[in-house]
Amino acid sequence: AEEAAMHNADAAKKSDGDHEVLAPNVSNTANFKRGDIEQGFAEADAIVEYSFFSDAVHQGYIEPQSNLVAIDPLGRVTVYSSTQAAFHCRNRVAETIGVPIQQVNVVPMPVGGGFGGKFVHIEPLTAAVALAAGRPVLLQFTRMEDLTAGNPAPACRIDVKLGAKKDGTFTALDSTLVFDAGATPSSPMQIAAILVGGYYKFPNLRIKGYEINSHKAGAGSYRAPGAQQASMAIESAVDDLAAELGLDPFEIRLKNCAEEGDLRPNGGAWPRIGLRETLEALREHPLWQNRSESKAKGRGLGIAVGGWPGGIEPATAICRLEADGTFTIVLGSVDLSGTNTTFAQIVAEELGLDASDLRIVTAPTDSAPFAGGTGGSKITYTVGAAVKKAAEDTRQQVLNIAAEQLEVSADDLELVGGKINVKGVPGSSMTLKQVAGLSLSTANEHEPVLGKGSSSITESAPGFAVHLVEVEVDDLTGVVRPTAYVAAQDVGFALNPLLVEGQVQGAVGQGLGWALYEGMVFDDAGQLMTATLMDYTLPKADMIPPMEIILVEVPAELGPYGAKGIGEPPAIPGPAAVANAIKDITGVRVDRLPIKPESLAEKLWESSAAD
C-alpha cells in the first residue's frame, strides 16, 4: 500500500465492500458503483463485451537487483543500493532488522533502470544477513535470479461490458478485474480499477476488483502500474463499440472523454487534465487524416488512450552558495530519468545562471532533505516545486546581502550571469564570489546563503497520452510488424523538451514490448519457463518503428512553470493501440497479451474458416 501511494495517492483509498464471501487467497478487493447499472444497459442501443488476459511482465532493466550493506563497529548500518526510494528503503530496512531509522543510512547509487521494480526488494534481506554476520554483505542477482525472484508486473484478467446510445454516448460500464499478486499481497489492482472507469464519463458503472495470492514470486510495480492492463480493456471495448455503431474512433472518445470536474470511479474529481486537447492534436496528424493510404498498403491503424492520475508526496530541497560563487543543490530524490538536469535548469532560471554552472547532489539519507520515491510521475512536479522555492529563497538572500553593500533596495537589483547589478546603473555591481566572501569568511558580515524550499502539494497533476500506430500483419504466420507510430501527450510544460521526448521514446518501446513480445510463462507446477533473455523477449531497436512525438501543453496549476510528471503516460496506450490496429486490418480481436504470432495466426485461421 505504501509503494502504491508513492505512485498515486488515489490508489491508497479503499473502496466500499459488499461483504461477499471470498476465497482465502483473496488479499484485496475494490468495489466502485455509480448510478443504476441495469438501467444504463437498458438504455443502450449497442452493448459490447470484451475479456482479456495479460501475462506477468518484467521491468526489463539493464542492471539486475544489487545492493551492499556494511556494518560499522558501533552497529550503524549503511546500505548502498540501486534504489528508487532512499527514505522508503531506509524505513523498510530499519523495520525489518529492528533498529531505529537513525541507525540506518541509505546511499542511493546510480540506477541502471528501475521502472518501478527497485523501490525496495532485496535490501532488508541483505541488511539482516550483514547484521547477523557482522560483516559487509553484497547481494547481486544474476539475470535468471532477477527474472525468477524479482517483482514483476502481475498477470491479470479483466472483463468489460460497455453500452452506448446511437450517438455514441456511453450509458453504462460493468467491469471485473482479477490480479495475481503472487506470494505477497501487493498489486496495482486498485489503480487499474480506478483507471478502467476513469478515462470517460460513465453515468452508471460497477467495477469489482480482486487481488489473489499464488505460489509465484511477489508482484511489484512497473511503470504506470495497472494502467497498461486497464487501458487494454477499456480501449479495446471502446473501439469495438465505435465499430458496432459505425462511429469514428476519435469522435466517440471526444464525445465521452473525461474533463476537469468529472468523477473517477472512487469519487475523486479530475483536476485540470488535457485528454481532450491531446485527442484533438493526434486526430489532426497526417497518418490519421490520410488513413486510406494505410489501408491501400494493407496496413491497419489503431488508437488508444492512456492516463495517469499522478503522484503526490512532500519534498524539500536545499540550495547553497559556495565560497567560489557557485551553487550546490542538495536533494534526496533519486535521478532516474534526467530530473537533476531539469532541476539545474529551474535553479539557473531563478538565479540568472547557466545550468552547467550548478552542481546537483543526491545525498545519502543521513544528510539529504526529504523526498519521496522516484515513481508515479511526480518528481518534477513535487521536488521541482521545492527546488524552485529553494532557488527563490537563495536569490532573495543574495540580493539582500548585495543591497546592504551597494546601499540600495533589493528591489533595485538584478542577478544575471553571476553578477548582482543595480538596475540602470552601469558599473555598480557585485559578483557572487564577493557575496560568498561576505558570508563564508572567518570575518563574515552576513549569515551563509542557504536557500530552503519545501512542497506539500495535495492535488495531483494527471497526464494523458494518446497513441496512434500503423501495423502490418502476416496472415499466414501471425507476425505483427509496427510500421509507424505517433505519440501525443499532455506534458503540462516541457521544461526540457529533449528529455521529455526521450521519455516518450523509451516508453513506446516498453509499450510495444507489452503488446507483442514480453510475457512471463509458467508451467503447471508454477515453474518459470522464461527465465533467461533467450526465452524472455525484450524489444530491440529494429522492432521499434519510426516515431513522431506531439507535445501538448495544458499547464499544471501547481507544477513549476506549469510542468507535470511525464514518465508514466507514454508507457500506457501501446498494447491497446496495437490490438486496435490489428482489429482494424484483420477484423480479429485479440484477447491476450503479449500478442504471440501463433495465437494470432490461429485466430486468423478461425476467422477465415468462419467466413
Side-chain angles (χ1 to χ4, degrees):
E2 189 175 356
E3 285 187 21
M6 282 191 284
H7 275 84
N8 163 30
D10 285 330
K13 296 179 182 178
K14 295 293 184 182
S15 53
D16 295 328
D18 269 344
H19 307 292
E20 62 182 305
V21 178
L22 300 170
N25 68 328
V26 176
S27 53
N28 193 12
T29 62
N31 186 19
F32 300 118
K33 296 179 180 178
R34 180 189 303 146
D36 186 330
I37 192 77
E38 286 77 16
Q39 181 62 33
F41 283 118
E43 295 173 358
D45 295 307
I47 297 173
V48 298
E49 297 187 54
Y50 173 65
S51 300
F52 93 101
F53 178 84
S54 173
D55 286 339
V57 177
H58 192 272
Q59 293 85 355
Y61 34 71
I62 295 174
E63 172 203 31
Q65 297 278 346
S66 177
N67 80 302
L68 170 69
V69 177
I71 310 291
D72 73 13
L74 298 178
R76 283 186 51 80
V77 180
T78 301
V79 181
Y80 301 88
S81 177
S82 171
T83 179
Q84 295 178 231
F87 285 92
H88 175 56
C89 181
R90 178 193 65 171
N91 296 346
R92 289 288 301 277
V93 168
E95 292 167 3
T96 301
I97 64 177
V99 301
I101 59 173
Q102 295 85 355
Q103 202 168 323
V104 178
N105 183 32
V106 175
V107 183
M109 308 303 290
V111 181
F115 309 112
K118 291 183 179 177
F119 273 75
V120 174
H121 190 51
I122 61 175
E123 292 85 355
L125 172 63
T126 312
V129 175
L131 191 64
R135 304 179 58 181
V137 173
L138 170 67
L139 177 55
Q140 183 173 347
F141 277 4
T142 64
R143 182 64 61 185
M144 182 176 288
E145 289 168 342
D146 211 310
L147 285 163
T148 305
N151 52 350
C156 75
R157 177 191 170 97
I158 302 180
D159 303 323
V160 169
K161 181 180 179 182
L162 179 61
K165 296 180 179 178
K166 290 180 181 178
D167 65 355
T169 302
F170 294 155
T171 61
L173 168 70
D174 191 9
S175 181
T176 302
L177 307 87
V178 180
F179 275 68
D180 182 353
T184 56
S186 175
S187 81
M189 178 272 297
Q190 289 268 348
I191 302 177
I194 292 168
L195 293 179
V196 79
Y199 297 167
Y200 302 104
K201 299 178 178 74
F202 296 112
N204 308 287
L205 65 77
R206 177 175 58 201
I207 300 173
K208 304 194 77 171
Y210 302 90
E211 176 186 278
I212 63 170
N213 292 130
S214 64
H215 294 296
K216 301 172 185 175
S221 298
Y222 181 6
R223 191 175 187 174
Q228 291 90 351
Q229 300 98 314
S231 284
M232 179 69 179
I234 191 63
E235 290 300 286
S236 297
V238 168
D239 244 44
D240 287 349
L241 194 55
E244 181 79 12
L245 293 168
L247 298 175
D248 178 276
F250 269 103
E251 295 307 320
I252 195 171
R253 288 173 169 86
L254 284 164
K255 188 174 190 65
N256 295 282
C257 68
E259 299 177 272
E260 183 176 1
D262 287 331
L263 296 181
R264 286 168 274 191
N266 62 343
W270 284 111
R272 179 187 295 175
I273 57 175
L275 175 53
R276 176 173 296 277
E277 292 85 346
T278 308
L279 280 163
E280 290 172 342
L282 187 60
R283 181 181 56 178
E284 300 306 313
H285 191 274
L287 184 62
W288 180 255
Q289 291 296 317
N290 303 321
R291 51 193 178 275
S292 59
E293 295 180 8
S294 295
K295 285 291 179 66
K297 297 175 184 176
R299 296 172 178 174
L301 289 176
I303 66 169
V305 168
W308 187 251
I312 52 175
E313 201 165 4
T316 305
I318 292 171
C319 183
R320 184 176 69 219
L321 177 63
E322 306 291 4
D324 61 356
T326 62
F327 291 94
T328 297
I329 298 88
V330 185
L331 304 173
S333 57
V334 176
D335 182 9
L336 285 184
S337 55
T339 49
N340 281 2
T341 299
T342 300
F343 296 151
Q345 290 180 278
I346 292 173
V347 176
E349 178 71 19
E350 295 300 319
L351 299 182
L353 299 170
D354 189 278
S356 60
D357 297 331
L358 303 164
R359 178 171 172 255
I360 309 290
V361 174
T362 298
T365 53
D366 267 0
S367 53
F370 177 80
T374 300
S377 295
K378 69 173 184 294
I379 291 299
T380 297
Y381 184 60
T382 59
V383 179
V387 167
K388 187 173 184 291
K389 288 182 180 179
E392 292 169 347
D393 186 23
T394 300
R395 176 186 173 86
Q396 193 59 53
Q397 292 180 40
V398 167
L399 294 181
N400 288 342
I401 293 173
E404 187 172 326
Q405 295 300 310
L406 296 171
E407 298 181 341
V408 296
S409 168
D411 294 337
D412 295 327
L413 297 176
E414 59 183 1
L415 178 53
V416 180
K419 294 180 67 176
I420 304 96
N421 303 315
V422 179
K423 298 175 185 176
V425 185
S428 183
S429 64
M430 290 183 67
T431 66
L432 285 170
K433 188 172 182 179
Q434 288 174 314
V435 172
L438 293 170
S439 60
L440 295 173
S441 65
T442 54
N444 63 298
E445 300 178 29
H446 300 276
E447 295 177 356
V449 174
L450 185 70
K452 293 173 286 185
S454 297
S455 72
S456 183
I457 299 171
T458 57
E459 184 175 280
S460 62
F464 277 87
V466 186
H467 290 187
L468 168 64
V469 62
E470 179 188 71
V471 304
E472 291 180 343
V473 179
D474 188 311
D475 293 339
L476 292 177
T477 65
V479 170
V480 178
R481 186 174 75 91
T483 52
Y485 208 107
V486 187
Q489 183 168 331
D490 167 29
V491 300
F493 176 74
L495 292 169
N496 189 319
L498 284 178
L499 282 177
V500 171
E501 290 187 8
Q503 283 289 292
V504 175
Q505 290 166 349
V508 167
Q510 290 181 304
L512 291 174
W514 272 85
L516 298 171
Y517 309 114
E518 298 186 56
M520 302 180 74
V521 179
F522 297 83
D523 65 15
D524 292 341
Q527 183 71 30
L528 181 64
M529 305 299 290
T530 53
T532 76
L533 293 183
M534 292 186 292
D535 308 300
Y536 186 90
T537 303
L538 291 170
K540 302 175 180 63
D542 61 356
M543 300 175 179
I544 311 298
M547 188 187 314
E548 294 184 55
I549 297 169
I550 302 170
L551 301 184
V552 179
E553 295 185 322
V554 178
E557 294 182 67
L558 302 177
Y561 312 106
K564 62 180 65 170
I566 54 89
E568 253 83 3
I572 300 170
V578 170
N580 286 340
I582 293 171
K583 174 71 180 297
D584 180 53
I585 194 60
T586 67
V588 168
R589 171 59 68 192
V590 297
D591 57 6
R592 186 174 186 121
L593 292 177
I595 305 165
K596 297 180 180 179
E598 57 269 30
S599 60
L600 180 56
E602 183 178 351
K603 284 183 172 292
L604 291 170
W605 184 86
E606 292 172 352
S607 176
S608 62
D611 292 341

